[in-house]
């Protein structure tokens, strides 16, 4: 392992927020991921950077020196980036993305149809990282992401956020031959014994937020697939080997069905996030309009092609932001 800039951001964030959960929320990663990263950093450095303190953590004596050096390097890098980007940011292409490939295509199409003042550079969903982390790292400028309602909000001075969909109840994807497929809606506790496909996006149903929701229902999820997009694994669902969460704008292929979950136990929001300084307020407004138009376009397709929509109750359908 080599020490990288992202490791410096980790120790600086934990020191700033005084706890791993709060730092994880600020960085847009899960608590377990950040905790493992801290342990790897400490093993590499050969010292203990943080020690328990009440409900959080505090720096050790050597940790204070590590954090001070980390902050100095990060400040220098931030200044360098700002110097380089100050002119280029206003004139260069706007790098837009999403954590969902299907929504990404619609979002890009609507962005091109909007009177954007800068050329667009579409960046497909990035594997191996969250979209929010890509914004923080400067790999993209603006994106639409799906986040669990139960998740801790991202509080970062580097990231701006605006709601696109205020409430998006997650559905379940089943084989059409599944015993529960004939129901109008499905109780998630009836699927406790199923093998689940868990999306690797900001929804992250393996995260602490979802685990807490499921714990209140007295269940955990079993997955032999690991984090994976539903799209390529729809054949496994159609064959009856797995079930999956799905968003309301998903399309079930022949042999598959989508059903609302009774009581909407897990809901998400869809938000526009951008790296502050990468675009001005008029560009934010244009991107927000494009994102809203893309979502309405997909909902229209859902209403026309997905049978669950015609019988769904109003609370089982998404609520768009104003």
């Amino acid at each position: 392992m080599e020490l990288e800039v992202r490791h410096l951001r980790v120790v600086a964030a934990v020191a700033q927020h005084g706890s791993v959960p709060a730092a994880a929320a600020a960085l847009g990663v899960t608590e377990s991921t950040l905790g493992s990263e801290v342990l790897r950093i400490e093993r590499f450095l050969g010292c203990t950077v943080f020690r328990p303190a009440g409900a959080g953590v505090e720096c050790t004596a050597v940790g204070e020196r590590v954090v001070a050096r980390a902050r100095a390097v990060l400040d220098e890098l931030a200044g360098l980036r700002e110097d380089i980007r100050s002119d280029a940011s206003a004139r260069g292409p706007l790098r837009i993305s999403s954590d969902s490939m299907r929504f990404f295509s619609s979002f890009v199409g609507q962005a091109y149809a909007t009177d954007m003042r800068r050329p667009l550079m579409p960046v497909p969903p990035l594997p191996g990282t969250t979209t929010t982390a890509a914004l923080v790292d400067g790999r993209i400028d603006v994106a639409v992401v799906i986040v669990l309602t139960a998740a801790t909000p991202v509080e970062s001075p580097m990231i701006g956020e605006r709601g696109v969909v205020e409430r998006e109840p997650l559905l379940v994807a089943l084989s059409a031959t599944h015993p529960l497929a004939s129901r109008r809606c499905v109780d998630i506790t009836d699927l406790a014994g199923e093998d689940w496909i868990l999306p690797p996006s900001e929804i992250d149903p393996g995260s602490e937020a979802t685990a807490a929701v499921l714990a209140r229902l007295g269940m955990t999820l079993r997955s032999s697939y690991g984090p994976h997009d539903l799209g390529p694994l729809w054949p496994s669902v159609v064959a009856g080997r797995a079930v999956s969460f799905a968003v309301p704008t998903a399309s079930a292929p022949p042999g598959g069905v989508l059903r609302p979950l009774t009581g909407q136990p897990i809901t998400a929001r869809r938000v526009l996030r951008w790296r502050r300084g990468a675009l001005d307020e008029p560009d934010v407004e244009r991107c927000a309009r494009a994102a809203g138009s893309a979502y309405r376009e997909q909902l229209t397709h859902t209403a026309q092609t997905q049978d669950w929509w015609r019988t769904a109750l109003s609370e089982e359908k998404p609520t768009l932001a104003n």
Side-chain angles (χ1 to χ4, degrees), residues 153-166:
V154 170
E155 296 181 359
S156 170
M158 300 179 65
I159 301 298
E161 179 176 300
R162 179 170 303 185
V164 177
V165 181
E166 290 301 329

PDB file of all heavy atoms in Angstrom, residues 153-166:
ATOM      1  N   PRO A 153     -27.201  12.538   6.162  1.00  0.00           N
ATOM      2  CA  PRO A 153     -26.948  13.475   5.061  1.00  0.00           C
ATOM      3  C   PRO A 153     -25.462  13.784   4.916  1.00  0.00           C
ATOM      4  O   PRO A 153     -24.714  13.793   5.894  1.00  0.00           O
ATOM      5  CB  PRO A 153     -27.733  14.730   5.484  1.00  0.00           C
ATOM      6  CG  PRO A 153     -28.737  14.254   6.484  1.00  0.00           C
ATOM      7  CD  PRO A 153     -28.098  13.108   7.189  1.00  0.00           C
ATOM      8  N   VAL A 154     -25.051  14.009   3.675  1.00  0.00           N
ATOM      9  CA  VAL A 154     -23.674  14.419   3.412  1.00  0.00           C
ATOM     10  C   VAL A 154     -23.530  15.887   3.791  1.00  0.00           C
ATOM     11  O   VAL A 154     -24.274  16.741   3.316  1.00  0.00           O
ATOM     12  CB  VAL A 154     -23.307  14.200   1.934  1.00  0.00           C
ATOM     13  CG1 VAL A 154     -21.975  14.859   1.610  1.00  0.00           C
ATOM     14  CG2 VAL A 154     -23.237  12.715   1.622  1.00  0.00           C
ATOM     15  N   GLU A 155     -22.593  16.167   4.673  1.00  0.00           N
ATOM     16  CA  GLU A 155     -22.323  17.548   5.063  1.00  0.00           C
ATOM     17  C   GLU A 155     -20.867  17.844   4.734  1.00  0.00           C
ATOM     18  O   GLU A 155     -19.961  17.550   5.508  1.00  0.00           O
ATOM     19  CB  GLU A 155     -22.612  17.748   6.556  1.00  0.00           C
ATOM     20  CG  GLU A 155     -24.088  17.556   6.927  1.00  0.00           C
ATOM     21  CD  GLU A 155     -24.353  17.771   8.396  1.00  0.00           C
ATOM     22  OE1 GLU A 155     -23.377  18.058   9.114  1.00  0.00           O
ATOM     23  OE2 GLU A 155     -25.510  17.643   8.819  1.00  0.00           O
ATOM     24  N   SER A 156     -20.651  18.373   3.558  1.00  0.00           N
ATOM     25  CA  SER A 156     -19.302  18.670   3.114  1.00  0.00           C
ATOM     26  C   SER A 156     -19.273  20.050   2.487  1.00  0.00           C
ATOM     27  O   SER A 156     -20.126  20.365   1.649  1.00  0.00           O
ATOM     28  CB  SER A 156     -18.830  17.623   2.089  1.00  0.00           C
ATOM     29  OG  SER A 156     -17.612  18.018   1.484  1.00  0.00           O
ATOM     30  N   PRO A 157     -18.310  20.887   2.864  1.00  0.00           N
ATOM     31  CA  PRO A 157     -18.228  22.209   2.248  1.00  0.00           C
ATOM     32  C   PRO A 157     -17.875  22.144   0.769  1.00  0.00           C
ATOM     33  O   PRO A 157     -18.023  23.129   0.055  1.00  0.00           O
ATOM     34  CB  PRO A 157     -17.113  22.892   3.054  1.00  0.00           C
ATOM     35  CG  PRO A 157     -16.295  21.773   3.601  1.00  0.00           C
ATOM     36  CD  PRO A 157     -17.267  20.667   3.878  1.00  0.00           C
ATOM     37  N   MET A 158     -17.452  20.965   0.305  1.00  0.00           N
ATOM     38  CA  MET A 158     -17.059  20.815  -1.092  1.00  0.00           C
ATOM     39  C   MET A 158     -18.231  20.458  -1.996  1.00  0.00           C
ATOM     40  O   MET A 158     -18.120  20.542  -3.219  1.00  0.00           O
ATOM     41  CB  MET A 158     -15.974  19.737  -1.226  1.00  0.00           C
ATOM     42  CG  MET A 158     -14.697  20.024  -0.460  1.00  0.00           C
ATOM     43  SD  MET A 158     -13.483  18.700  -0.644  1.00  0.00           S
ATOM     44  CE  MET A 158     -13.148  18.820  -2.412  1.00  0.00           C
ATOM     45  N   ILE A 159     -19.349  20.024  -1.407  1.00  0.00           N
ATOM     46  CA  ILE A 159     -20.458  19.478  -2.189  1.00  0.00           C
ATOM     47  C   ILE A 159     -21.727  20.283  -1.972  1.00  0.00           C
ATOM     48  O   ILE A 159     -22.135  20.535  -0.837  1.00  0.00           O
ATOM     49  CB  ILE A 159     -20.720  18.001  -1.810  1.00  0.00           C
ATOM     50  CG1 ILE A 159     -19.481  17.147  -2.057  1.00  0.00           C
ATOM     51  CG2 ILE A 159     -21.902  17.448  -2.597  1.00  0.00           C
ATOM     52  CD1 ILE A 159     -19.047  17.104  -3.503  1.00  0.00           C
ATOM     53  N   GLY A 160     -22.366  20.704  -3.086  1.00  0.00           N
ATOM     54  CA  GLY A 160     -23.690  21.301  -3.042  1.00  0.00           C
ATOM     55  C   GLY A 160     -24.726  20.250  -3.383  1.00  0.00           C
ATOM     56  O   GLY A 160     -24.427  19.262  -4.059  1.00  0.00           O
ATOM     57  N   GLU A 161     -25.955  20.434  -2.911  1.00  0.00           N
ATOM     58  CA  GLU A 161     -26.994  19.416  -3.138  1.00  0.00           C
ATOM     59  C   GLU A 161     -28.355  20.076  -3.321  1.00  0.00           C
ATOM     60  O   GLU A 161     -28.678  21.061  -2.652  1.00  0.00           O
ATOM     61  CB  GLU A 161     -27.039  18.439  -1.961  1.00  0.00           C
ATOM     62  CG  GLU A 161     -28.116  17.364  -2.105  1.00  0.00           C
ATOM     63  CD  GLU A 161     -28.073  16.351  -0.974  1.00  0.00           C
ATOM     64  OE1 GLU A 161     -27.017  15.693  -0.825  1.00  0.00           O
ATOM     65  OE2 GLU A 161     -29.072  16.242  -0.241  1.00  0.00           O
ATOM     66  N   ARG A 162     -29.138  19.514  -4.248  1.00  0.00           N
ATOM     67  CA  ARG A 162     -30.513  19.980  -4.480  1.00  0.00           C
ATOM     68  C   ARG A 162     -31.387  18.764  -4.783  1.00  0.00           C
ATOM     69  O   ARG A 162     -30.981  17.871  -5.523  1.00  0.00           O
ATOM     70  CB  ARG A 162     -30.560  20.959  -5.645  1.00  0.00           C
ATOM     71  CG  ARG A 162     -31.968  21.463  -5.950  1.00  0.00           C
ATOM     72  CD  ARG A 162     -31.946  22.597  -6.941  1.00  0.00           C
ATOM     73  NE  ARG A 162     -31.127  23.711  -6.474  1.00  0.00           N
ATOM     74  CZ  ARG A 162     -31.018  24.864  -7.112  1.00  0.00           C
ATOM     75  NH1 ARG A 162     -31.668  25.060  -8.236  1.00  0.00           N
ATOM     76  NH2 ARG A 162     -30.260  25.829  -6.635  1.00  0.00           N
ATOM     77  N   GLY A 163     -32.567  18.723  -4.193  1.00  0.00           N
ATOM     78  CA  GLY A 163     -33.455  17.593  -4.391  1.00  0.00           C
ATOM     79  C   GLY A 163     -34.051  17.551  -5.793  1.00  0.00           C
ATOM     80  O   GLY A 163     -34.412  18.575  -6.354  1.00  0.00           O
ATOM     81  N   VAL A 164     -34.143  16.339  -6.351  1.00  0.00           N
ATOM     82  CA  VAL A 164     -34.815  16.097  -7.623  1.00  0.00           C
ATOM     83  C   VAL A 164     -36.084  15.274  -7.369  1.00  0.00           C
ATOM     84  O   VAL A 164     -37.161  15.603  -7.863  1.00  0.00           O
ATOM     85  CB  VAL A 164     -33.893  15.353  -8.611  1.00  0.00           C
ATOM     86  CG1 VAL A 164     -34.633  15.033  -9.913  1.00  0.00           C
ATOM     87  CG2 VAL A 164     -32.642  16.177  -8.902  1.00  0.00           C
ATOM     88  N   VAL A 165     -35.951  14.211  -6.587  1.00  0.00           N
ATOM     89  CA  VAL A 165     -37.087  13.390  -6.163  1.00  0.00           C
ATOM     90  C   VAL A 165     -37.030  13.318  -4.644  1.00  0.00           C
ATOM     91  O   VAL A 165     -36.061  12.817  -4.076  1.00  0.00           O
ATOM     92  CB  VAL A 165     -37.029  11.972  -6.769  1.00  0.00           C
ATOM     93  CG1 VAL A 165     -38.239  11.154  -6.336  1.00  0.00           C
ATOM     94  CG2 VAL A 165     -36.947  12.043  -8.287  1.00  0.00           C
ATOM     95  N   GLU A 166     -38.063  13.845  -3.977  1.00  0.00           N
ATOM     96  CA  GLU A 166     -38.037  13.925  -2.517  1.00  0.00           C
ATOM     97  C   GLU A 166     -38.283  12.573  -1.863  1.00  0.00           C
ATOM     98  O   GLU A 166     -37.770  12.304  -0.782  1.00  0.00           O
ATOM     99  CB  GLU A 166     -39.077  14.935  -2.018  1.00  0.00           C
ATOM    100  CG  GLU A 166     -38.725  16.374  -2.344  1.00  0.00           C
ATOM    101  CD  GLU A 166     -37.394  16.798  -1.755  1.00  0.00           C
ATOM    102  OE1 GLU A 166     -37.027  16.283  -0.679  1.00  0.00           O
ATOM    103  OE2 GLU A 166     -36.709  17.631  -2.366  1.00  0.00           O
TER     104      GLU A 166
END
